[in-house]
Amino acid sequence: MATTTSKGPTGQVVPSVLRAGRILEALAAGPPTATLAELSRRLDMPRSSTLAICNSLLEAGLLLRDADGAYRLGPQVLELGRAYLGQTDLLSEFGRVTSESGFLPAQTLICSVLRGRDVVYVGRRPGASPLGVAYEIGLRLPAHCTASGLAMLSTLDEAELDELYRDAGELEQLTPSSISTPAELRKRLATVRERGYAVDDGETAAAMICLGATVRDDAGAAVGAVAVSMPKGARSEAELADDADELRRLADQISRGLGAP
Amino acid sequence: MATTTSKGPTGQVVPSVLRAGRILEALAAGPPTATLAELSRRLDMPRSSTLAICNSLLEAGLLLRDADGAYRLGPQVLELGRAYLGQTDLLSEFGRVTSESGFLPAQTLICSVLRGRDVVYVGRRPGASPLGVAYEIGLRLPAHCTASGLAMLSTLDEAELDELYRDAGELEQLTPSSISTPAELRKRLATVRERGYAVDDGETAAAMICLGATVRDDAGAAVGAVAVSMPKGARSEAELADDADELRRLADQISRGLGAP
């Protein structure tokens, strides 16, 4: 997995390239069209250099010019966006976002996907704590026992759940606290949908609490989940609520990297 | 409708902004990651200025740097692409693409959408010929009589067609050649699917032949059609086949502008 660093070194920059970036950003933020005078005024840039930069962005296809002379984003930005999406997968975004984020540095963060009725762990950001959970990449666990799995299952509709658990029989329990019936699973999934994240309270392993949130792609499909597991009692109720909020933000950030709105 | 001109004036440009555009384009074309040395060599640009441009693009979020120092496209290109899509509609893309294209300059090009069982004409690029067809924007016609309508109907599946024509009764005929039964319509739609475009041969108006092709958006949905109508006999069979090919390319170009792959 290629991990990525943040903005990179703050070495020598080219002011006109930074300005080009600001012009693109301004038109993306809207209003979607702006005349040369408006851009120059809004971004506090000299008119002559704004014109030369816009000419260059036009030539690169990154801008268009309307018949009335106003500038707008050009179709080349769509090509770039599409290329980015083609090059970016769940795992590389998980790596990039967690390496940039200081989220729960002591705990191990996990990235997983749903495969049938199981979750498979595909990525991990190790935590600093010696008490961390030692999940191995490739580990496969029943989805209904884990926070990751519950988060992903909560995105399925009734028909998909029926199909998935039709020939499932009794649900396997990893601990006495694990969900054991399809009815119990459905009830729990309603709670997950309501909260926007899943909690596994001693259901994967005794004395362990785990939070999970879904990652979506540009089509809105749940392509994976991020989760954090902690020894029960390591965090207070209030801290866990904050952790859940932050985990959701982390999942949303990865989702946006994968093209989700 | 805001029509747009092509690349704009070839006035003063900023070489480093053009280079920034080439760096983004090179990474989009792939391979998706490149070191400074590779970029500098591939684009034949001095290493020091390539570094300064990359630093600027990193700062703008348009590039990322991997842990091993290689550059890749950054998530900001996705924001730009999303903004472009939000700002770009069928009509403005039809205006932009047809104003840039020299397609059938003598004939009138039409842009339409499907509303229930009708097509509604929403855009027009007038042709130079005095024999051109005088479609008015807002004109509503039965979809099964027109090339635009047949093109769009051909993207529906059997269930959607059943639903759409369930209470339709006998189909209205604009001319004696118009399709008159749901069975005939289904047979014709199979031909449209096979060819990739629709032909209306005197079915909207006698002695008029019309070609239609579908425009799709980023979700692959048929959001409209482009069509060209000509007095029958104005073009030979071979010329019509060429026109149909070019109309498809025109429709595909508009589709790409709307985010279709």
Side-chain angles (χ1 to χ4, degrees), chain A residues 13-21 52-53 56-57 60 62, chain B residues 13-24 43 45-46 48-50 52-54 56-57:
Chain A
V13 295
V14 184
S16 58
V17 175
L18 290 179
R19 285 175 169 173
I53 293 169
S56 313
L57 290 171
L62 293 165
Chain B
V13 295
V14 185
S16 58
V17 175
L18 291 179
R19 286 175 167 173
R22 289 176 59 213
I23 289 172
L24 295 174
L43 301 175
M45 301 183 333
S48 60
S49 91
T50 307
I53 294 168
C54 285
S56 311
L57 290 171

PDB file of all heavy atoms in Angstrom, chain A residues 13-21 52-53 56-57 60 62, chain B residues 13-24 43 45-46 48-50 52-54 56-57:
ATOM      1  N   VAL A  13       8.033  27.814  -4.678  1.00  0.00           N
ATOM      2  CA  VAL A  13       6.785  27.685  -5.424  1.00  0.00           C
ATOM      3  C   VAL A  13       6.758  28.715  -6.556  1.00  0.00           C
ATOM      4  O   VAL A  13       7.589  29.622  -6.605  1.00  0.00           O
ATOM      5  CB  VAL A  13       5.545  27.894  -4.527  1.00  0.00           C
ATOM      6  CG1 VAL A  13       5.442  26.805  -3.477  1.00  0.00           C
ATOM      7  CG2 VAL A  13       5.568  29.269  -3.897  1.00  0.00           C
ATOM      8  N   VAL A  14       5.803  28.534  -7.472  1.00  0.00           N
ATOM      9  CA  VAL A  14       5.629  29.478  -8.577  1.00  0.00           C
ATOM     10  C   VAL A  14       4.326  30.248  -8.331  1.00  0.00           C
ATOM     11  O   VAL A  14       3.251  29.656  -8.395  1.00  0.00           O
ATOM     12  CB  VAL A  14       5.544  28.738  -9.927  1.00  0.00           C
ATOM     13  CG1 VAL A  14       5.472  29.738 -11.071  1.00  0.00           C
ATOM     14  CG2 VAL A  14       6.703  27.784 -10.090  1.00  0.00           C
ATOM     15  N   PRO A  15       4.417  31.530  -8.039  1.00  0.00           N
ATOM     16  CA  PRO A  15       3.202  32.294  -7.695  1.00  0.00           C
ATOM     17  C   PRO A  15       2.093  32.158  -8.739  1.00  0.00           C
ATOM     18  O   PRO A  15       0.927  32.043  -8.372  1.00  0.00           O
ATOM     19  CB  PRO A  15       3.712  33.734  -7.602  1.00  0.00           C
ATOM     20  CG  PRO A  15       5.156  33.601  -7.231  1.00  0.00           C
ATOM     21  CD  PRO A  15       5.641  32.355  -7.928  1.00  0.00           C
ATOM     22  N   SER A  16       2.437  32.144 -10.028  1.00  0.00           N
ATOM     23  CA  SER A  16       1.366  32.097 -11.039  1.00  0.00           C
ATOM     24  C   SER A  16       0.652  30.743 -11.029  1.00  0.00           C
ATOM     25  O   SER A  16      -0.536  30.676 -11.342  1.00  0.00           O
ATOM     26  CB  SER A  16       1.918  32.400 -12.427  1.00  0.00           C
ATOM     27  OG  SER A  16       2.930  31.485 -12.750  1.00  0.00           O
ATOM     28  N   VAL A  17       1.347  29.672 -10.649  1.00  0.00           N
ATOM     29  CA  VAL A  17       0.684  28.365 -10.553  1.00  0.00           C
ATOM     30  C   VAL A  17      -0.250  28.345  -9.341  1.00  0.00           C
ATOM     31  O   VAL A  17      -1.365  27.822  -9.406  1.00  0.00           O
ATOM     32  CB  VAL A  17       1.719  27.211 -10.491  1.00  0.00           C
ATOM     33  CG1 VAL A  17       1.024  25.878 -10.272  1.00  0.00           C
ATOM     34  CG2 VAL A  17       2.544  27.176 -11.764  1.00  0.00           C
ATOM     35  N   LEU A  18       0.196  28.956  -8.236  1.00  0.00           N
ATOM     36  CA  LEU A  18      -0.694  29.077  -7.072  1.00  0.00           C
ATOM     37  C   LEU A  18      -1.931  29.889  -7.444  1.00  0.00           C
ATOM     38  O   LEU A  18      -3.050  29.552  -7.064  1.00  0.00           O
ATOM     39  CB  LEU A  18       0.038  29.767  -5.915  1.00  0.00           C
ATOM     40  CG  LEU A  18       1.156  28.963  -5.248  1.00  0.00           C
ATOM     41  CD1 LEU A  18       1.802  29.806  -4.142  1.00  0.00           C
ATOM     42  CD2 LEU A  18       0.599  27.669  -4.665  1.00  0.00           C
ATOM     43  N   ARG A  19      -1.721  30.967  -8.209  1.00  0.00           N
ATOM     44  CA  ARG A  19      -2.853  31.787  -8.641  1.00  0.00           C
ATOM     45  C   ARG A  19      -3.791  31.016  -9.547  1.00  0.00           C
ATOM     46  O   ARG A  19      -5.011  31.171  -9.459  1.00  0.00           O
ATOM     47  CB  ARG A  19      -2.335  33.048  -9.370  1.00  0.00           C
ATOM     48  CG  ARG A  19      -1.766  34.068  -8.410  1.00  0.00           C
ATOM     49  CD  ARG A  19      -1.163  35.244  -9.164  1.00  0.00           C
ATOM     50  NE  ARG A  19      -0.862  36.329  -8.243  1.00  0.00           N
ATOM     51  CZ  ARG A  19      -0.219  37.433  -8.582  1.00  0.00           C
ATOM     52  NH1 ARG A  19       0.187  37.604  -9.826  1.00  0.00           N
ATOM     53  NH2 ARG A  19       0.007  38.365  -7.687  1.00  0.00           N
ATOM     54  N   ALA A  20      -3.212  30.201 -10.425  1.00  0.00           N
ATOM     55  CA  ALA A  20      -4.051  29.369 -11.308  1.00  0.00           C
ATOM     56  C   ALA A  20      -4.930  28.456 -10.455  1.00  0.00           C
ATOM     57  O   ALA A  20      -6.129  28.302 -10.713  1.00  0.00           O
ATOM     58  CB  ALA A  20      -3.163  28.546 -12.235  1.00  0.00           C
ATOM     59  N   GLY A  21      -4.328  27.881  -9.404  1.00  0.00           N
ATOM     60  CA  GLY A  21      -5.098  27.022  -8.500  1.00  0.00           C
ATOM     61  C   GLY A  21      -6.218  27.795  -7.828  1.00  0.00           C
ATOM     62  O   GLY A  21      -7.324  27.277  -7.659  1.00  0.00           O
ATOM     63  N   ALA A  52      -3.268  36.535 -18.378  1.00  0.00           N
ATOM     64  CA  ALA A  52      -2.293  35.590 -18.916  1.00  0.00           C
ATOM     65  C   ALA A  52      -2.494  34.192 -18.311  1.00  0.00           C
ATOM     66  O   ALA A  52      -2.381  33.177 -19.007  1.00  0.00           O
ATOM     67  CB  ALA A  52      -0.875  36.094 -18.645  1.00  0.00           C
ATOM     68  N   ILE A  53      -2.827  34.138 -17.023  1.00  0.00           N
ATOM     69  CA  ILE A  53      -3.063  32.838 -16.381  1.00  0.00           C
ATOM     70  C   ILE A  53      -4.329  32.198 -16.959  1.00  0.00           C
ATOM     71  O   ILE A  53      -4.352  30.999 -17.268  1.00  0.00           O
ATOM     72  CB  ILE A  53      -3.179  32.992 -14.842  1.00  0.00           C
ATOM     73  CG1 ILE A  53      -1.828  33.422 -14.255  1.00  0.00           C
ATOM     74  CG2 ILE A  53      -3.632  31.686 -14.192  1.00  0.00           C
ATOM     75  CD1 ILE A  53      -1.891  33.854 -12.802  1.00  0.00           C
ATOM     76  N   SER A  56      -3.700  30.718 -20.271  1.00  0.00           N
ATOM     77  CA  SER A  56      -2.978  29.451 -20.150  1.00  0.00           C
ATOM     78  C   SER A  56      -3.923  28.329 -19.738  1.00  0.00           C
ATOM     79  O   SER A  56      -3.832  27.208 -20.242  1.00  0.00           O
ATOM     80  CB  SER A  56      -1.857  29.572 -19.116  1.00  0.00           C
ATOM     81  OG  SER A  56      -1.118  30.758 -19.333  1.00  0.00           O
ATOM     82  N   LEU A  57      -4.829  28.632 -18.805  1.00  0.00           N
ATOM     83  CA  LEU A  57      -5.780  27.605 -18.347  1.00  0.00           C
ATOM     84  C   LEU A  57      -6.766  27.247 -19.458  1.00  0.00           C
ATOM     85  O   LEU A  57      -7.197  26.096 -19.576  1.00  0.00           O
ATOM     86  CB  LEU A  57      -6.529  28.096 -17.092  1.00  0.00           C
ATOM     87  CG  LEU A  57      -5.676  28.195 -15.822  1.00  0.00           C
ATOM     88  CD1 LEU A  57      -6.453  28.885 -14.699  1.00  0.00           C
ATOM     89  CD2 LEU A  57      -5.210  26.809 -15.365  1.00  0.00           C
ATOM     90  N   ALA A  60      -5.013  24.886 -21.687  1.00  0.00           N
ATOM     91  CA  ALA A  60      -4.911  23.558 -21.068  1.00  0.00           C
ATOM     92  C   ALA A  60      -6.275  22.868 -20.979  1.00  0.00           C
ATOM     93  O   ALA A  60      -6.366  21.726 -20.552  1.00  0.00           O
ATOM     94  CB  ALA A  60      -4.296  23.679 -19.674  1.00  0.00           C
ATOM     95  N   LEU A  62      -8.581  23.638 -18.990  1.00  0.00           N
ATOM     96  CA  LEU A  62      -9.072  23.657 -17.605  1.00  0.00           C
ATOM     97  C   LEU A  62     -10.112  24.754 -17.408  1.00  0.00           C
ATOM     98  O   LEU A  62     -10.870  24.736 -16.443  1.00  0.00           O
ATOM     99  CB  LEU A  62      -7.902  23.844 -16.640  1.00  0.00           C
ATOM    100  CG  LEU A  62      -6.926  22.652 -16.595  1.00  0.00           C
ATOM    101  CD1 LEU A  62      -5.616  23.046 -15.922  1.00  0.00           C
ATOM    102  CD2 LEU A  62      -7.559  21.465 -15.877  1.00  0.00           C
TER     103      LEU A  62
ATOM    104  N   VAL B  13       0.457  34.096 -22.514  1.00  0.00           N
ATOM    105  CA  VAL B  13       0.278  32.972 -21.596  1.00  0.00           C
ATOM    106  C   VAL B  13       1.431  32.938 -20.595  1.00  0.00           C
ATOM    107  O   VAL B  13       2.429  33.632 -20.761  1.00  0.00           O
ATOM    108  CB  VAL B  13       0.210  31.618 -22.350  1.00  0.00           C
ATOM    109  CG1 VAL B  13      -1.019  31.547 -23.233  1.00  0.00           C
ATOM    110  CG2 VAL B  13       1.480  31.376 -23.132  1.00  0.00           C
ATOM    111  N   VAL B  14       1.259  32.116 -19.547  1.00  0.00           N
ATOM    112  CA  VAL B  14       2.309  31.936 -18.543  1.00  0.00           C
ATOM    113  C   VAL B  14       2.873  30.529 -18.703  1.00  0.00           C
ATOM    114  O   VAL B  14       2.173  29.553 -18.422  1.00  0.00           O
ATOM    115  CB  VAL B  14       1.742  32.117 -17.119  1.00  0.00           C
ATOM    116  CG1 VAL B  14       2.851  32.050 -16.095  1.00  0.00           C
ATOM    117  CG2 VAL B  14       0.961  33.404 -17.007  1.00  0.00           C
ATOM    118  N   PRO B  15       4.109  30.412 -19.157  1.00  0.00           N
ATOM    119  CA  PRO B  15       4.665  29.072 -19.418  1.00  0.00           C
ATOM    120  C   PRO B  15       4.525  28.110 -18.234  1.00  0.00           C
ATOM    121  O   PRO B  15       4.223  26.936 -18.424  1.00  0.00           O
ATOM    122  CB  PRO B  15       6.127  29.360 -19.737  1.00  0.00           C
ATOM    123  CG  PRO B  15       6.117  30.752 -20.288  1.00  0.00           C
ATOM    124  CD  PRO B  15       5.044  31.479 -19.516  1.00  0.00           C
ATOM    125  N   SER B  16       4.722  28.597 -17.017  1.00  0.00           N
ATOM    126  CA  SER B  16       4.681  27.671 -15.875  1.00  0.00           C
ATOM    127  C   SER B  16       3.269  27.147 -15.624  1.00  0.00           C
ATOM    128  O   SER B  16       3.092  26.028 -15.143  1.00  0.00           O
ATOM    129  CB  SER B  16       5.238  28.328 -14.614  1.00  0.00           C
ATOM    130  OG  SER B  16       4.507  29.490 -14.321  1.00  0.00           O
ATOM    131  N   VAL B  17       2.236  27.939 -15.972  1.00  0.00           N
ATOM    132  CA  VAL B  17       0.863  27.461 -15.819  1.00  0.00           C
ATOM    133  C   VAL B  17       0.578  26.398 -16.884  1.00  0.00           C
ATOM    134  O   VAL B  17      -0.067  25.383 -16.620  1.00  0.00           O
ATOM    135  CB  VAL B  17      -0.155  28.625 -15.890  1.00  0.00           C
ATOM    136  CG1 VAL B  17      -1.583  28.110 -15.862  1.00  0.00           C
ATOM    137  CG2 VAL B  17       0.077  29.592 -14.739  1.00  0.00           C
ATOM    138  N   LEU B  18       1.076  26.633 -18.106  1.00  0.00           N
ATOM    139  CA  LEU B  18       0.948  25.608 -19.151  1.00  0.00           C
ATOM    140  C   LEU B  18       1.642  24.321 -18.718  1.00  0.00           C
ATOM    141  O   LEU B  18       1.123  23.221 -18.903  1.00  0.00           O
ATOM    142  CB  LEU B  18       1.564  26.103 -20.470  1.00  0.00           C
ATOM    143  CG  LEU B  18       0.827  27.237 -21.183  1.00  0.00           C
ATOM    144  CD1 LEU B  18       1.578  27.625 -22.453  1.00  0.00           C
ATOM    145  CD2 LEU B  18      -0.602  26.826 -21.508  1.00  0.00           C
ATOM    146  N   ARG B  19       2.809  24.467 -18.126  1.00  0.00           N
ATOM    147  CA  ARG B  19       3.546  23.279 -17.646  1.00  0.00           C
ATOM    148  C   ARG B  19       2.781  22.562 -16.541  1.00  0.00           C
ATOM    149  O   ARG B  19       2.759  21.339 -16.481  1.00  0.00           O
ATOM    150  CB  ARG B  19       4.938  23.692 -17.147  1.00  0.00           C
ATOM    151  CG  ARG B  19       5.881  24.021 -18.272  1.00  0.00           C
ATOM    152  CD  ARG B  19       7.198  24.530 -17.739  1.00  0.00           C
ATOM    153  NE  ARG B  19       8.189  24.558 -18.822  1.00  0.00           N
ATOM    154  CZ  ARG B  19       9.390  25.087 -18.699  1.00  0.00           C
ATOM    155  NH1 ARG B  19       9.786  25.616 -17.556  1.00  0.00           N
ATOM    156  NH2 ARG B  19      10.231  25.070 -19.724  1.00  0.00           N
ATOM    157  N   ALA B  20       2.169  23.352 -15.664  1.00  0.00           N
ATOM    158  CA  ALA B  20       1.360  22.752 -14.587  1.00  0.00           C
ATOM    159  C   ALA B  20       0.243  21.916 -15.213  1.00  0.00           C
ATOM    160  O   ALA B  20      -0.026  20.787 -14.785  1.00  0.00           O
ATOM    161  CB  ALA B  20       0.774  23.841 -13.692  1.00  0.00           C
ATOM    162  N   GLY B  21      -0.393  22.478 -16.255  1.00  0.00           N
ATOM    163  CA  GLY B  21      -1.444  21.733 -16.955  1.00  0.00           C
ATOM    164  C   GLY B  21      -0.913  20.443 -17.557  1.00  0.00           C
ATOM    165  O   GLY B  21      -1.576  19.406 -17.501  1.00  0.00           O
ATOM    166  N   ARG B  22       0.305  20.502 -18.093  1.00  0.00           N
ATOM    167  CA  ARG B  22       0.884  19.289 -18.717  1.00  0.00           C
ATOM    168  C   ARG B  22       1.230  18.236 -17.663  1.00  0.00           C
ATOM    169  O   ARG B  22       1.117  17.035 -17.917  1.00  0.00           O
ATOM    170  CB  ARG B  22       2.119  19.668 -19.534  1.00  0.00           C
ATOM    171  CG  ARG B  22       1.742  20.445 -20.817  1.00  0.00           C
ATOM    172  CD  ARG B  22       2.975  20.894 -21.578  1.00  0.00           C
ATOM    173  NE  ARG B  22       3.814  19.755 -21.970  1.00  0.00           N
ATOM    174  CZ  ARG B  22       5.146  19.803 -22.049  1.00  0.00           C
ATOM    175  NH1 ARG B  22       5.794  20.918 -21.752  1.00  0.00           N
ATOM    176  NH2 ARG B  22       5.816  18.736 -22.418  1.00  0.00           N
ATOM    177  N   ILE B  23       1.671  18.681 -16.491  1.00  0.00           N
ATOM    178  CA  ILE B  23       1.976  17.731 -15.409  1.00  0.00           C
ATOM    179  C   ILE B  23       0.697  17.006 -14.990  1.00  0.00           C
ATOM    180  O   ILE B  23       0.670  15.774 -14.863  1.00  0.00           O
ATOM    181  CB  ILE B  23       2.613  18.460 -14.201  1.00  0.00           C
ATOM    182  CG1 ILE B  23       4.031  18.916 -14.554  1.00  0.00           C
ATOM    183  CG2 ILE B  23       2.629  17.559 -12.958  1.00  0.00           C
ATOM    184  CD1 ILE B  23       4.685  19.806 -13.513  1.00  0.00           C
ATOM    185  N   LEU B  24      -0.390  17.767 -14.802  1.00  0.00           N
ATOM    186  CA  LEU B  24      -1.667  17.161 -14.402  1.00  0.00           C
ATOM    187  C   LEU B  24      -2.132  16.178 -15.490  1.00  0.00           C
ATOM    188  O   LEU B  24      -2.579  15.059 -15.197  1.00  0.00           O
ATOM    189  CB  LEU B  24      -2.725  18.242 -14.173  1.00  0.00           C
ATOM    190  CG  LEU B  24      -2.454  19.212 -13.011  1.00  0.00           C
ATOM    191  CD1 LEU B  24      -3.497  20.322 -12.982  1.00  0.00           C
ATOM    192  CD2 LEU B  24      -2.448  18.456 -11.673  1.00  0.00           C
ATOM    193  N   LEU B  43       8.347  15.230 -19.711  1.00  0.00           N
ATOM    194  CA  LEU B  43       7.769  16.457 -20.270  1.00  0.00           C
ATOM    195  C   LEU B  43       8.844  17.407 -20.796  1.00  0.00           C
ATOM    196  O   LEU B  43       8.541  18.515 -21.228  1.00  0.00           O
ATOM    197  CB  LEU B  43       6.909  17.153 -19.202  1.00  0.00           C
ATOM    198  CG  LEU B  43       5.754  16.294 -18.675  1.00  0.00           C
ATOM    199  CD1 LEU B  43       5.026  17.008 -17.542  1.00  0.00           C
ATOM    200  CD2 LEU B  43       4.768  15.970 -19.800  1.00  0.00           C
ATOM    201  N   MET B  45      11.141  19.172 -19.253  1.00  0.00           N
ATOM    202  CA  MET B  45      11.137  20.440 -18.532  1.00  0.00           C
ATOM    203  C   MET B  45      12.302  20.433 -17.544  1.00  0.00           C
ATOM    204  O   MET B  45      12.628  19.388 -16.978  1.00  0.00           O
ATOM    205  CB  MET B  45       9.811  20.605 -17.763  1.00  0.00           C
ATOM    206  CG  MET B  45       8.605  20.569 -18.699  1.00  0.00           C
ATOM    207  SD  MET B  45       6.978  20.847 -17.898  1.00  0.00           S
ATOM    208  CE  MET B  45       7.219  20.299 -16.238  1.00  0.00           C
ATOM    209  N   PRO B  46      12.923  21.597 -17.298  1.00  0.00           N
ATOM    210  CA  PRO B  46      14.036  21.643 -16.348  1.00  0.00           C
ATOM    211  C   PRO B  46      13.574  21.147 -14.973  1.00  0.00           C
ATOM    212  O   PRO B  46      12.456  21.421 -14.547  1.00  0.00           O
ATOM    213  CB  PRO B  46      14.403  23.135 -16.274  1.00  0.00           C
ATOM    214  CG  PRO B  46      13.758  23.772 -17.451  1.00  0.00           C
ATOM    215  CD  PRO B  46      12.596  22.924 -17.833  1.00  0.00           C
ATOM    216  N   SER B  48      14.470  21.926 -11.925  1.00  0.00           N
ATOM    217  CA  SER B  48      14.220  22.908 -10.860  1.00  0.00           C
ATOM    218  C   SER B  48      12.845  23.547 -11.018  1.00  0.00           C
ATOM    219  O   SER B  48      12.114  23.730 -10.048  1.00  0.00           O
ATOM    220  CB  SER B  48      15.299  23.991 -10.866  1.00  0.00           C
ATOM    221  OG  SER B  48      15.283  24.655 -12.115  1.00  0.00           O
ATOM    222  N   SER B  49      12.467  23.872 -12.257  1.00  0.00           N
ATOM    223  CA  SER B  49      11.157  24.506 -12.425  1.00  0.00           C
ATOM    224  C   SER B  49      10.057  23.474 -12.250  1.00  0.00           C
ATOM    225  O   SER B  49       8.977  23.782 -11.730  1.00  0.00           O
ATOM    226  CB  SER B  49      11.071  25.231 -13.776  1.00  0.00           C
ATOM    227  OG  SER B  49      10.567  24.397 -14.781  1.00  0.00           O
ATOM    228  N   THR B  50      10.303  22.216 -12.644  1.00  0.00           N
ATOM    229  CA  THR B  50       9.317  21.155 -12.411  1.00  0.00           C
ATOM    230  C   THR B  50       9.054  21.012 -10.904  1.00  0.00           C
ATOM    231  O   THR B  50       7.901  20.892 -10.474  1.00  0.00           O
ATOM    232  CB  THR B  50       9.813  19.810 -12.984  1.00  0.00           C
ATOM    233  OG1 THR B  50      10.172  20.012 -14.350  1.00  0.00           O
ATOM    234  CG2 THR B  50       8.729  18.746 -12.902  1.00  0.00           C
ATOM    235  N   ALA B  52       9.426  23.318  -8.559  1.00  0.00           N
ATOM    236  CA  ALA B  52       8.687  24.477  -8.039  1.00  0.00           C
ATOM    237  C   ALA B  52       7.213  24.400  -8.437  1.00  0.00           C
ATOM    238  O   ALA B  52       6.322  24.745  -7.652  1.00  0.00           O
ATOM    239  CB  ALA B  52       9.323  25.762  -8.548  1.00  0.00           C
ATOM    240  N   ILE B  53       6.942  23.933  -9.667  1.00  0.00           N
ATOM    241  CA  ILE B  53       5.544  23.804 -10.116  1.00  0.00           C
ATOM    242  C   ILE B  53       4.835  22.721  -9.308  1.00  0.00           C
ATOM    243  O   ILE B  53       3.704  22.897  -8.865  1.00  0.00           O
ATOM    244  CB  ILE B  53       5.475  23.511 -11.635  1.00  0.00           C
ATOM    245  CG1 ILE B  53       5.997  24.723 -12.427  1.00  0.00           C
ATOM    246  CG2 ILE B  53       4.057  23.181 -12.056  1.00  0.00           C
ATOM    247  CD1 ILE B  53       6.229  24.434 -13.900  1.00  0.00           C
ATOM    248  N   CYS B  54       5.525  21.594  -9.101  1.00  0.00           N
ATOM    249  CA  CYS B  54       4.926  20.509  -8.313  1.00  0.00           C
ATOM    250  C   CYS B  54       4.649  20.970  -6.878  1.00  0.00           C
ATOM    251  O   CYS B  54       3.601  20.659  -6.304  1.00  0.00           O
ATOM    252  CB  CYS B  54       5.828  19.282  -8.313  1.00  0.00           C
ATOM    253  SG  CYS B  54       5.776  18.374  -9.869  1.00  0.00           S
ATOM    254  N   SER B  56       3.904  23.916  -5.972  1.00  0.00           N
ATOM    255  CA  SER B  56       2.732  24.797  -6.031  1.00  0.00           C
ATOM    256  C   SER B  56       1.459  23.972  -6.183  1.00  0.00           C
ATOM    257  O   SER B  56       0.428  24.274  -5.568  1.00  0.00           O
ATOM    258  CB  SER B  56       2.864  25.760  -7.208  1.00  0.00           C
ATOM    259  OG  SER B  56       4.139  26.374  -7.205  1.00  0.00           O
ATOM    260  N   LEU B  57       1.520  22.939  -7.024  1.00  0.00           N
ATOM    261  CA  LEU B  57       0.337  22.088  -7.236  1.00  0.00           C
ATOM    262  C   LEU B  57       0.001  21.301  -5.967  1.00  0.00           C
ATOM    263  O   LEU B  57      -1.170  21.045  -5.668  1.00  0.00           O
ATOM    264  CB  LEU B  57       0.558  21.149  -8.423  1.00  0.00           C
ATOM    265  CG  LEU B  57       0.589  21.828  -9.805  1.00  0.00           C
ATOM    266  CD1 LEU B  57       1.033  20.843 -10.889  1.00  0.00           C
ATOM    267  CD2 LEU B  57      -0.786  22.405 -10.156  1.00  0.00           C
TER     268      LEU B  57
END
